[in-house]
Amino acid sequence: MTVTVDETAVHPDALILHRSAASPEAAVLVLHGGRADGLDAPPPWNLPGARMRPYLRAVARATEGRNVVVGAVRYRHRGWNGPRGDAARDAERALQELHLLAGAVPVVLVGHSMGGRAALRVAGDDLVTGVVGLAPWCPPGEPVEHLRDRRLVLLHGDRDRMTDPRGSWDLAVRARAAGARSCHLTVAGGDHAMIRRAGLWHTRTAESVRGLLGHGPLPDMAARALTRDHVPPPGSPETLLR
């Protein structure tokens, strides 16, 4: 007896399309957070995914009227899972699917927490030109050599108790040394869930995406930080978003 396996059920599309474009000129992919470990699939109603819906809407508004594809990454597992790096593998699949859909267009990645780590890990892909990392999970020793020529805007709340703001600052410093244009901005009073000062998180994310796509100016503080010859430490007055 021959058993037929539905590959789409086993490996569903990694790209969740939120807005298409008739003649795509650019794209934005949003990556939500997760857990350090967890091989189970994210449930249909997933808090980390729900947390990023306002960011999808903010990005869609910021790119309205332009031929920009907006999508999100679907994870097969809830966790990063050590050397497996499952979230990064799914991000790679989503970029491949996006390439087939839209062609070789410039892509900006927006990732929160584990999704920020995944976005940074796959940013060496030829399509990716920039990353907006929101409270990204950046453990010691995270690779940076592939980030050369990329632009990175990392935002981290000073009240974050889940991911270390100094971890993302350290990555920004090392990425700068590897040839990236990177900055680290501190959201005063911001927490890991980005609930405190939510409006500021949404606004600066949308502005950063628009600026990285070349559709408008970057936020003043990010623009100045990216042109400095060093990355100031977390909480420095010149990089503190109030």
Side-chain angles (χ1 to χ4, degrees):
M1 180 179 66
T2 301
V3 178
T4 301
V5 177
D6 183 355
E7 290 293 337
T8 62
V10 177
H11 300 298
D13 291 345
L15 174 63
I16 304 172
L17 193 61
H18 285 262
R19 187 180 71 197
S20 60
S23 301
E25 297 175 358
V28 182
L29 280 184
V30 174
L31 301 89
H32 67 70
R35 301 176 175 178
D37 299 291
L39 293 174
D40 53 323
W45 194 91
N46 183 34
L47 179 58
R51 184 174 289 134
M52 296 306 289
R53 288 173 191 161
Y55 293 87
L56 277 165
R57 292 193 292 268
V59 166
R61 287 193 301 270
T63 57
E64 189 173 0
R66 296 183 178 270
N67 291 317
V68 177
V69 175
V70 179
V73 175
R74 177 186 282 115
Y75 301 142
R76 287 173 290 182
H77 308 282
R78 300 181 79 171
W80 181 268
N81 299 317
R84 289 170 54 115
D86 284 316
R89 293 169 62 191
D90 290 330
E92 289 175 346
R93 291 172 55 232
L95 284 169
Q96 293 167 3
E97 292 169 14
L98 178 62
H99 193 179
L100 291 174
L101 173 72
V105 299
V107 178
V108 171
L109 303 176
V110 179
H112 172 241
S113 192
M114 182 185 76
R117 183 180 185 183
L120 290 163
R121 183 66 71 90
V122 303
D125 187 282
D126 289 342
L127 296 180
V128 179
T129 60
V131 175
V132 180
L134 308 175
W137 174 26
C138 301
E142 195 68 8
V144 296
E145 292 75 14
H146 63 293
L147 297 173
R148 183 177 181 83
D149 298 327
R150 304 306 188 265
R151 291 191 292 172
L152 316 177
V153 179
L154 308 184
L155 289 79
H156 222 125
D158 58 6
R159 295 187 182 181
D160 196 322
R161 299 296 179 266
M162 292 291 293
T163 56
D164 186 356
R166 287 194 169 271
S168 57
W169 171 77
D170 176 72
L171 185 137
V173 171
R174 293 188 297 111
R176 179 77 68 97
R181 291 178 59 194
S182 58
C183 68
H184 182 277
L185 306 179
T186 300
V187 179
D191 60 340
H192 186 71
M194 304 178 296
I195 295 174
R196 295 189 183 97
R197 313 205 65 195
L200 178 63
W201 285 98
H202 299 160
T203 300
R204 295 295 177 261
T205 298
E207 291 174 347
S208 296
V209 166
R210 189 166 51 208
L212 291 174
L213 288 175
H215 294 167
L218 283 162
D220 288 344
M221 194 169 286
R224 291 195 298 270
L226 285 174
T227 58
R228 288 193 180 92
D229 59 3
H230 70 291
V231 181
S236 299
E238 64 267 38
T239 59
L240 188 62
L241 297 173
R242 296 186 181 278

